[in-house]
mmCIF file of all heavy atoms in Angstrom:
data_model
loop_
_atom_site.group_PDB
_atom_site.id
_atom_site.type_symbol
_atom_site.label_atom_id
_atom_site.label_comp_id
_atom_site.label_asym_id
_atom_site.label_seq_id
_atom_site.Cartn_x
_atom_site.Cartn_y
_atom_site.Cartn_z
ATOM 1 N N ARG A 18 0.848 -1.206 0.000
ATOM 2 C CA ARG A 18 0.000 0.000 0.000
ATOM 3 C C ARG A 18 0.881 1.253 0.000
ATOM 4 O O ARG A 18 0.742 2.148 0.830
ATOM 5 C CB ARG A 18 -0.931 -0.033 1.207
ATOM 6 C CG ARG A 18 -1.938 -1.190 1.152
ATOM 7 C CD ARG A 18 -2.499 -1.542 2.521
ATOM 8 N NE ARG A 18 -3.158 -0.408 3.157
ATOM 9 C CZ ARG A 18 -3.565 -0.407 4.425
ATOM 10 N NH1 ARG A 18 -3.378 -1.500 5.181
ATOM 11 N NH2 ARG A 18 -4.164 0.646 4.938
ATOM 12 N N ASP A 19 1.819 1.305 -0.942
ATOM 13 C CA ASP A 19 2.812 2.368 -0.967
ATOM 14 C C ASP A 19 2.196 3.745 -1.186
ATOM 15 O O ASP A 19 2.745 4.753 -0.731
ATOM 16 C CB ASP A 19 3.851 2.088 -2.059
ATOM 17 C CG ASP A 19 4.557 0.742 -1.855
ATOM 18 O OD1 ASP A 19 4.568 0.256 -0.707
ATOM 19 O OD2 ASP A 19 5.078 0.195 -2.843
ATOM 20 N N MET A 20 1.048 3.817 -1.872
ATOM 21 C CA MET A 20 0.423 5.102 -2.144
ATOM 22 C C MET A 20 -0.079 5.790 -0.871
ATOM 23 O O MET A 20 -0.331 6.997 -0.870
ATOM 24 C CB MET A 20 -0.739 4.922 -3.121
ATOM 25 C CG MET A 20 -0.325 4.437 -4.510
ATOM 26 S SD MET A 20 0.833 5.566 -5.325
ATOM 27 C CE MET A 20 -0.200 7.014 -5.512
ATOM 28 N N GLU A 21 -0.210 5.039 0.207
ATOM 29 C CA GLU A 21 -0.702 5.601 1.459
ATOM 30 C C GLU A 21 0.410 6.114 2.358
ATOM 31 O O GLU A 21 0.155 6.667 3.424
ATOM 32 C CB GLU A 21 -1.523 4.547 2.213
ATOM 33 C CG GLU A 21 -2.743 4.046 1.444
ATOM 34 C CD GLU A 21 -3.482 2.942 2.192
ATOM 35 O OE1 GLU A 21 -3.687 3.108 3.415
ATOM 36 O OE2 GLU A 21 -3.837 1.922 1.561
ATOM 37 N N ILE A 22 1.680 5.929 1.924
ATOM 38 C CA ILE A 22 2.818 6.272 2.779
ATOM 39 C C ILE A 22 2.884 7.769 3.052
ATOM 40 O O ILE A 22 3.135 8.193 4.193
ATOM 41 C CB ILE A 22 4.129 5.762 2.154
ATOM 42 C CG1 ILE A 22 4.204 4.235 2.298
ATOM 43 C CG2 ILE A 22 5.341 6.416 2.805
ATOM 44 C CD1 ILE A 22 5.416 3.605 1.637
ATOM 45 N N LYS A 23 2.635 8.600 2.029
ATOM 46 C CA LYS A 23 2.738 10.049 2.213
ATOM 47 C C LYS A 23 1.824 10.537 3.334
ATOM 48 O O LYS A 23 2.247 11.304 4.216
ATOM 49 C CB LYS A 23 2.394 10.765 0.911
ATOM 50 C CG LYS A 23 2.400 12.292 1.006
ATOM 51 C CD LYS A 23 2.060 12.921 -0.330
ATOM 52 C CE LYS A 23 2.009 14.449 -0.236
ATOM 53 N NZ LYS A 23 0.889 14.924 0.602
ATOM 54 N N ASP A 24 0.567 10.097 3.331
ATOM 55 C CA ASP A 24 -0.361 10.511 4.385
ATOM 56 C C ASP A 24 0.058 9.966 5.742
ATOM 57 O O ASP A 24 -0.086 10.647 6.767
ATOM 58 C CB ASP A 24 -1.779 10.043 4.049
ATOM 59 C CG ASP A 24 -2.379 10.789 2.857
ATOM 60 O OD1 ASP A 24 -1.905 11.899 2.565
ATOM 61 O OD2 ASP A 24 -3.296 10.242 2.218
ATOM 62 N N ALA A 25 0.593 8.748 5.746
ATOM 63 C CA ALA A 25 1.029 8.147 7.010
ATOM 64 C C ALA A 25 2.185 8.930 7.627
ATOM 65 O O ALA A 25 2.277 9.047 8.856
ATOM 66 C CB ALA A 25 1.449 6.693 6.771
ATOM 67 N N LEU A 26 3.054 9.491 6.785
ATOM 68 C CA LEU A 26 4.172 10.274 7.308
ATOM 69 C C LEU A 26 3.673 11.512 8.030
ATOM 70 O O LEU A 26 4.177 11.870 9.103
ATOM 71 C CB LEU A 26 5.111 10.688 6.159
ATOM 72 C CG LEU A 26 5.808 9.551 5.409
ATOM 73 C CD1 LEU A 26 6.737 10.120 4.341
ATOM 74 C CD2 LEU A 26 6.579 8.654 6.362
ATOM 75 N N ASP A 27 2.685 12.190 7.477
ATOM 76 C CA ASP A 27 2.154 13.389 8.125
ATOM 77 C C ASP A 27 1.351 13.048 9.381
ATOM 78 O O ASP A 27 1.356 13.795 10.353
ATOM 79 C CB ASP A 27 1.287 14.178 7.144
ATOM 80 C CG ASP A 27 2.128 14.917 6.105
ATOM 81 O OD1 ASP A 27 3.292 15.229 6.408
ATOM 82 O OD2 ASP A 27 1.624 15.159 4.995
ATOM 83 N N GLU A 28 0.684 11.897 9.357
ATOM 84 C CA GLU A 28 -0.074 11.480 10.546
ATOM 85 C C GLU A 28 0.851 11.155 11.712
ATOM 86 O O GLU A 28 0.458 11.269 12.878
ATOM 87 C CB GLU A 28 -0.937 10.260 10.205
ATOM 88 C CG GLU A 28 -2.101 10.578 9.259
ATOM 89 C CD GLU A 28 -2.773 9.327 8.727
ATOM 90 O OE1 GLU A 28 -2.391 8.223 9.181
ATOM 91 O OE2 GLU A 28 -3.653 9.448 7.853
ATOM 92 N N GLY A 29 2.096 10.776 11.401
ATOM 93 C CA GLY A 29 3.036 10.401 12.466
ATOM 94 C C GLY A 29 3.970 11.511 12.884
ATOM 95 O O GLY A 29 4.917 11.269 13.650
ATOM 96 N N THR A 30 3.723 12.740 12.404
ATOM 97 C CA THR A 30 4.648 13.835 12.684
ATOM 98 C C THR A 30 4.803 14.105 14.170
ATOM 99 O O THR A 30 5.923 14.214 14.688
ATOM 100 C CB THR A 30 4.181 15.124 11.965
ATOM 101 O OG1 THR A 30 4.202 14.904 10.550
ATOM 102 C CG2 THR A 30 5.095 16.295 12.302
ATOM 103 N N GLN A 31 3.698 14.224 14.879
ATOM 104 C CA GLN A 31 3.763 14.582 16.293
ATOM 105 C C GLN A 31 4.378 13.487 17.149
ATOM 106 O O GLN A 31 5.141 13.761 18.076
ATOM 107 C CB GLN A 31 2.347 14.914 16.806
ATOM 108 C CG GLN A 31 1.732 16.141 16.159
ATOM 109 C CD GLN A 31 2.538 17.400 16.432
ATOM 110 O OE1 GLN A 31 3.073 17.592 17.523
ATOM 111 N NE2 GLN A 31 2.643 18.254 15.419
ATOM 112 N N ILE A 32 4.073 12.226 16.828
ATOM 113 C CA ILE A 32 4.535 11.111 17.672
ATOM 114 C C ILE A 32 5.918 10.624 17.268
ATOM 115 O O ILE A 32 6.789 10.402 18.113
ATOM 116 C CB ILE A 32 3.533 9.941 17.609
ATOM 117 C CG1 ILE A 32 2.166 10.398 18.125
ATOM 118 C CG2 ILE A 32 4.040 8.756 18.416
ATOM 119 C CD1 ILE A 32 1.081 9.342 18.002
ATOM 120 N N HIS A 33 6.135 10.462 15.960
ATOM 121 C CA HIS A 33 7.360 9.805 15.495
ATOM 122 C C HIS A 33 8.364 10.748 14.838
ATOM 123 O O HIS A 33 9.508 10.356 14.607
ATOM 124 C CB HIS A 33 7.004 8.698 14.503
ATOM 125 C CG HIS A 33 6.060 7.675 15.042
ATOM 126 N ND1 HIS A 33 6.402 6.809 16.063
ATOM 127 C CD2 HIS A 33 4.766 7.386 14.707
ATOM 128 C CE1 HIS A 33 5.368 6.014 16.327
ATOM 129 N NE2 HIS A 33 4.366 6.348 15.528
ATOM 130 N N GLY A 34 7.968 11.971 14.521
ATOM 131 C CA GLY A 34 8.885 12.892 13.867
ATOM 132 C C GLY A 34 8.977 12.714 12.367
ATOM 133 O O GLY A 34 9.872 13.263 11.714
ATOM 134 N N THR A 35 8.045 11.952 11.791
ATOM 135 C CA THR A 35 8.028 11.772 10.344
ATOM 136 C C THR A 35 7.361 12.978 9.675
ATOM 137 O O THR A 35 6.620 13.717 10.311
ATOM 138 C CB THR A 35 7.276 10.488 9.950
ATOM 139 O OG1 THR A 35 5.921 10.574 10.445
ATOM 140 C CG2 THR A 35 7.939 9.260 10.561
ATOM 141 N N GLN A 36 7.625 13.147 8.384
ATOM 142 C CA GLN A 36 6.963 14.222 7.647
ATOM 143 C C GLN A 36 7.107 13.993 6.152
ATOM 144 O O GLN A 36 8.061 13.377 5.698
ATOM 145 C CB GLN A 36 7.538 15.596 8.008
ATOM 146 C CG GLN A 36 8.987 15.811 7.608
ATOM 147 C CD GLN A 36 9.525 17.186 8.015
ATOM 148 O OE1 GLN A 36 8.983 17.845 8.902
ATOM 149 N NE2 GLN A 36 10.596 17.623 7.381
ATOM 150 N N SER A 37 6.141 14.493 5.391
ATOM 151 C CA SER A 37 6.197 14.437 3.939
ATOM 152 C C SER A 37 6.967 15.646 3.418
ATOM 153 O O SER A 37 7.244 16.599 4.160
ATOM 154 C CB SER A 37 4.785 14.431 3.348
ATOM 155 O OG SER A 37 4.160 15.685 3.582
ATOM 156 N N PHE A 38 7.302 15.631 2.127
ATOM 157 C CA PHE A 38 7.950 16.786 1.517
ATOM 158 C C PHE A 38 7.099 18.034 1.657
ATOM 159 O O PHE A 38 7.603 19.120 1.970
ATOM 160 C CB PHE A 38 8.210 16.526 0.032
ATOM 161 C CG PHE A 38 9.602 16.075 -0.259
ATOM 162 C CD1 PHE A 38 9.814 14.906 -0.953
ATOM 163 C CD2 PHE A 38 10.697 16.810 0.155
ATOM 164 C CE1 PHE A 38 11.099 14.480 -1.229
ATOM 165 C CE2 PHE A 38 11.980 16.394 -0.109
ATOM 166 C CZ PHE A 38 12.178 15.224 -0.812
ATOM 167 N N ASP A 39 5.799 17.883 1.436
ATOM 168 C CA ASP A 39 4.933 19.054 1.474
ATOM 169 C C ASP A 39 4.905 19.686 2.860
ATOM 170 O O ASP A 39 4.867 20.908 3.007
ATOM 171 C CB ASP A 39 3.516 18.685 1.023
ATOM 172 C CG ASP A 39 3.451 18.397 -0.470
ATOM 173 O OD1 ASP A 39 4.479 18.570 -1.148
ATOM 174 O OD2 ASP A 39 2.376 17.986 -0.954
ATOM 175 N N THR A 40 4.948 18.859 3.895
ATOM 176 C CA THR A 40 5.005 19.388 5.256
ATOM 177 C C THR A 40 6.328 20.091 5.501
ATOM 178 O O THR A 40 6.373 21.150 6.143
ATOM 179 C CB THR A 40 4.797 18.266 6.275
ATOM 180 O OG1 THR A 40 3.477 17.741 6.143
ATOM 181 C CG2 THR A 40 4.981 18.767 7.701
ATOM 182 N N ALA A 41 7.419 19.517 4.979
ATOM 183 C CA ALA A 41 8.731 20.157 5.116
ATOM 184 C C ALA A 41 8.727 21.524 4.436
ATOM 185 O O ALA A 41 9.238 22.516 4.985
ATOM 186 C CB ALA A 41 9.812 19.264 4.513
ATOM 187 N N LEU A 42 8.139 21.602 3.253
ATOM 188 C CA LEU A 42 8.063 22.870 2.532
ATOM 189 C C LEU A 42 7.178 23.880 3.264
ATOM 190 O O LEU A 42 7.488 25.071 3.328
ATOM 191 C CB LEU A 42 7.523 22.639 1.116
ATOM 192 C CG LEU A 42 8.446 21.867 0.168
ATOM 193 C CD1 LEU A 42 7.687 21.429 -1.076
ATOM 194 C CD2 LEU A 42 9.652 22.709 -0.212
ATOM 195 N N LEU A 43 6.080 23.390 3.833
ATOM 196 C CA LEU A 43 5.185 24.271 4.591
ATOM 197 C C LEU A 43 5.923 24.880 5.785
ATOM 198 O O LEU A 43 5.781 26.077 6.068
ATOM 199 C CB LEU A 43 3.963 23.481 5.064
ATOM 200 C CG LEU A 43 2.919 24.257 5.863
ATOM 201 C CD1 LEU A 43 2.306 25.364 5.006
ATOM 202 C CD2 LEU A 43 1.830 23.320 6.387
ATOM 203 N N LYS A 44 6.709 24.065 6.469
ATOM 204 C CA LYS A 44 7.464 24.575 7.623
ATOM 205 C C LYS A 44 8.467 25.648 7.193
ATOM 206 O O LYS A 44 8.625 26.667 7.870
ATOM 207 C CB LYS A 44 8.187 23.416 8.325
ATOM 208 C CG LYS A 44 7.265 22.458 9.061
ATOM 209 C CD LYS A 44 8.060 21.323 9.693
ATOM 210 C CE LYS A 44 7.151 20.375 10.471
ATOM 211 N NZ LYS A 44 7.913 19.230 11.065
ATOM 212 N N LEU A 45 9.153 25.386 6.076
ATOM 213 C CA LEU A 45 10.132 26.359 5.585
ATOM 214 C C LEU A 45 9.444 27.658 5.168
ATOM 215 O O LEU A 45 9.954 28.756 5.397
ATOM 216 C CB LEU A 45 10.918 25.767 4.408
ATOM 217 C CG LEU A 45 11.889 24.627 4.746
ATOM 218 C CD1 LEU A 45 12.436 24.001 3.467
ATOM 219 C CD2 LEU A 45 13.030 25.138 5.622
ATOM 220 N N TYR A 46 8.261 27.537 4.567
ATOM 221 C CA TYR A 46 7.514 28.730 4.151
ATOM 222 C C TYR A 46 7.041 29.520 5.370
ATOM 223 O O TYR A 46 7.137 30.760 5.405
ATOM 224 C CB TYR A 46 6.334 28.326 3.271
ATOM 225 C CG TYR A 46 5.439 29.491 2.933
ATOM 226 C CD1 TYR A 46 5.859 30.470 2.028
ATOM 227 C CD2 TYR A 46 4.191 29.644 3.549
ATOM 228 C CE1 TYR A 46 5.048 31.561 1.732
ATOM 229 C CE2 TYR A 46 3.389 30.727 3.256
ATOM 230 C CZ TYR A 46 3.824 31.678 2.344
ATOM 231 O OH TYR A 46 3.024 32.761 2.062
ATOM 232 N N LYS A 47 6.523 28.823 6.375
ATOM 233 C CA LYS A 47 6.045 29.497 7.582
ATOM 234 C C LYS A 47 7.172 30.252 8.288
ATOM 235 O O LYS A 47 6.949 31.301 8.895
ATOM 236 C CB LYS A 47 5.429 28.475 8.545
ATOM 237 C CG LYS A 47 4.032 28.022 8.157
ATOM 238 C CD LYS A 47 3.477 27.069 9.216
ATOM 239 C CE LYS A 47 2.035 26.700 8.931
ATOM 240 N NZ LYS A 47 1.489 25.765 9.952
ATOM 241 N N LYS A 48 8.400 29.688 8.206
ATOM 242 C CA LYS A 48 9.551 30.347 8.827
ATOM 243 C C LYS A 48 10.053 31.525 8.000
ATOM 244 O O LYS A 48 10.952 32.253 8.442
ATOM 245 C CB LYS A 48 10.697 29.337 9.008
ATOM 246 C CG LYS A 48 10.438 28.269 10.046
ATOM 247 C CD LYS A 48 11.620 27.305 10.110
ATOM 248 C CE LYS A 48 11.374 26.193 11.131
ATOM 249 N NZ LYS A 48 12.516 25.222 11.156
ATOM 250 N N GLY A 49 9.491 31.698 6.797
ATOM 251 C CA GLY A 49 9.931 32.777 5.930
ATOM 252 C C GLY A 49 11.214 32.487 5.193
ATOM 253 O O GLY A 49 11.852 33.393 4.646
ATOM 254 N N LYS A 50 11.612 31.205 5.131
ATOM 255 C CA LYS A 50 12.880 30.861 4.490
ATOM 256 C C LYS A 50 12.737 30.687 2.983
ATOM 257 O O LYS A 50 13.696 30.896 2.240
ATOM 258 C CB LYS A 50 13.461 29.580 5.103
ATOM 259 C CG LYS A 50 13.803 29.698 6.571
ATOM 260 C CD LYS A 50 14.727 28.595 7.042
ATOM 261 C CE LYS A 50 16.116 28.750 6.455
ATOM 262 N NZ LYS A 50 17.088 27.807 7.032
ATOM 263 N N ILE A 51 11.559 30.266 2.514
ATOM 264 C CA ILE A 51 11.358 30.083 1.083
ATOM 265 C C ILE A 51 10.110 30.835 0.644
ATOM 266 O O ILE A 51 9.214 31.105 1.455
ATOM 267 C CB ILE A 51 11.242 28.591 0.686
ATOM 268 C CG1 ILE A 51 9.990 27.964 1.294
ATOM 269 C CG2 ILE A 51 12.492 27.833 1.085
ATOM 270 C CD1 ILE A 51 9.738 26.529 0.818
ATOM 271 N N SER A 52 10.046 31.166 -0.631
ATOM 272 C CA SER A 52 8.902 31.899 -1.168
ATOM 273 C C SER A 52 7.739 30.950 -1.457
ATOM 274 O O SER A 52 7.901 29.727 -1.510
ATOM 275 C CB SER A 52 9.311 32.615 -2.459
ATOM 276 O OG SER A 52 9.549 31.671 -3.497
ATOM 277 N N PHE A 53 6.575 31.543 -1.675
ATOM 278 C CA PHE A 53 5.399 30.757 -2.036
ATOM 279 C C PHE A 53 5.639 30.015 -3.355
ATOM 280 O O PHE A 53 5.328 28.829 -3.491
ATOM 281 C CB PHE A 53 4.184 31.682 -2.153
ATOM 282 C CG PHE A 53 2.926 30.987 -2.617
ATOM 283 C CD1 PHE A 53 2.164 30.223 -1.749
ATOM 284 C CD2 PHE A 53 2.509 31.099 -3.943
ATOM 285 C CE1 PHE A 53 1.016 29.580 -2.178
ATOM 286 C CE2 PHE A 53 1.363 30.466 -4.374
ATOM 287 C CZ PHE A 53 0.611 29.698 -3.499
ATOM 288 N N ASN A 54 6.222 30.696 -4.338
ATOM 289 C CA ASN A 54 6.484 30.065 -5.633
ATOM 290 C C ASN A 54 7.446 28.892 -5.510
ATOM 291 O O ASN A 54 7.294 27.860 -6.176
ATOM 292 C CB ASN A 54 7.050 31.091 -6.623
ATOM 293 C CG ASN A 54 5.956 31.965 -7.211
ATOM 294 O OD1 ASN A 54 4.777 31.783 -6.901
ATOM 295 N ND2 ASN A 54 6.339 32.915 -8.046
ATOM 296 N N GLU A 55 8.457 29.048 -4.660
ATOM 297 C CA GLU A 55 9.433 27.965 -4.486
ATOM 298 C C GLU A 55 8.775 26.762 -3.820
ATOM 299 O O GLU A 55 9.070 25.614 -4.165
ATOM 300 C CB GLU A 55 10.616 28.458 -3.636
ATOM 301 C CG GLU A 55 11.762 27.470 -3.522
ATOM 302 C CD GLU A 55 12.522 27.252 -4.818
ATOM 303 O OE1 GLU A 55 12.269 27.961 -5.811
ATOM 304 O OE2 GLU A 55 13.387 26.353 -4.841
ATOM 305 N N ALA A 56 7.888 27.015 -2.875
ATOM 306 C CA ALA A 56 7.159 25.912 -2.238
ATOM 307 C C ALA A 56 6.306 25.172 -3.257
ATOM 308 O O ALA A 56 6.292 23.936 -3.308
ATOM 309 C CB ALA A 56 6.292 26.450 -1.106
ATOM 310 N N MET A 57 5.598 25.919 -4.100
ATOM 311 C CA MET A 57 4.754 25.293 -5.126
ATOM 312 C C MET A 57 5.590 24.517 -6.140
ATOM 313 O O MET A 57 5.218 23.432 -6.586
ATOM 314 C CB MET A 57 3.939 26.367 -5.861
ATOM 315 C CG MET A 57 2.884 27.067 -5.017
ATOM 316 S SD MET A 57 1.594 25.944 -4.406
ATOM 317 C CE MET A 57 2.137 25.758 -2.697
ATOM 318 N N LEU A 58 6.743 25.077 -6.505
ATOM 319 C CA LEU A 58 7.607 24.465 -7.518
ATOM 320 C C LEU A 58 8.124 23.107 -7.066
ATOM 321 O O LEU A 58 8.302 22.195 -7.881
ATOM 322 C CB LEU A 58 8.779 25.402 -7.819
ATOM 323 C CG LEU A 58 9.754 24.974 -8.919
ATOM 324 C CD1 LEU A 58 9.056 24.933 -10.272
ATOM 325 C CD2 LEU A 58 10.944 25.929 -8.960
ATOM 326 N N ASN A 59 8.336 22.941 -5.769
ATOM 327 C CA ASN A 59 8.943 21.713 -5.259
ATOM 328 C C ASN A 59 7.966 20.766 -4.583
ATOM 329 O O ASN A 59 8.352 19.689 -4.142
ATOM 330 C CB ASN A 59 10.059 22.069 -4.263
ATOM 331 C CG ASN A 59 11.276 22.655 -4.940
ATOM 332 O OD1 ASN A 59 12.126 21.942 -5.454
ATOM 333 N ND2 ASN A 59 11.356 23.984 -4.954
ATOM 334 N N ALA A 60 6.705 21.157 -4.504
ATOM 335 C CA ALA A 60 5.720 20.338 -3.792
ATOM 336 C C ALA A 60 5.421 19.033 -4.520
ATOM 337 O O ALA A 60 5.412 18.984 -5.756
ATOM 338 C CB ALA A 60 4.437 21.129 -3.597
ATOM 339 N N THR A 61 5.158 17.990 -3.751
ATOM 340 C CA THR A 61 4.702 16.730 -4.319
ATOM 341 C C THR A 61 3.269 16.872 -4.812
ATOM 342 O O THR A 61 2.916 16.395 -5.893
ATOM 343 C CB THR A 61 4.780 15.602 -3.262
ATOM 344 O OG1 THR A 61 6.132 15.484 -2.810
ATOM 345 C CG2 THR A 61 4.336 14.274 -3.852
ATOM 346 N N SER A 62 2.438 17.555 -4.018
ATOM 347 C CA SER A 62 1.042 17.829 -4.390
ATOM 348 C C SER A 62 0.795 19.324 -4.249
ATOM 349 O O SER A 62 0.319 19.788 -3.197
ATOM 350 C CB SER A 62 0.082 17.045 -3.487
ATOM 351 O OG SER A 62 0.356 15.657 -3.526
ATOM 352 N N PRO A 63 1.122 20.116 -5.288
ATOM 353 C CA PRO A 63 1.010 21.576 -5.185
ATOM 354 C C PRO A 63 -0.370 22.070 -4.768
ATOM 355 O O PRO A 63 -0.478 22.997 -3.958
ATOM 356 C CB PRO A 63 1.366 22.049 -6.603
ATOM 357 C CG PRO A 63 2.209 20.950 -7.168
ATOM 358 C CD PRO A 63 1.660 19.690 -6.596
#
């Protein structure tokens, strides 16, 4: 069930420290380190 892995990574963020690319990009954007366009350009699911 490999297609479900991305969602499972985000569900385990608080407990296990896992995260998807999109969550990593969201964190960088919230910190003001990357632009909105750069986040969209690199997102798995823009």
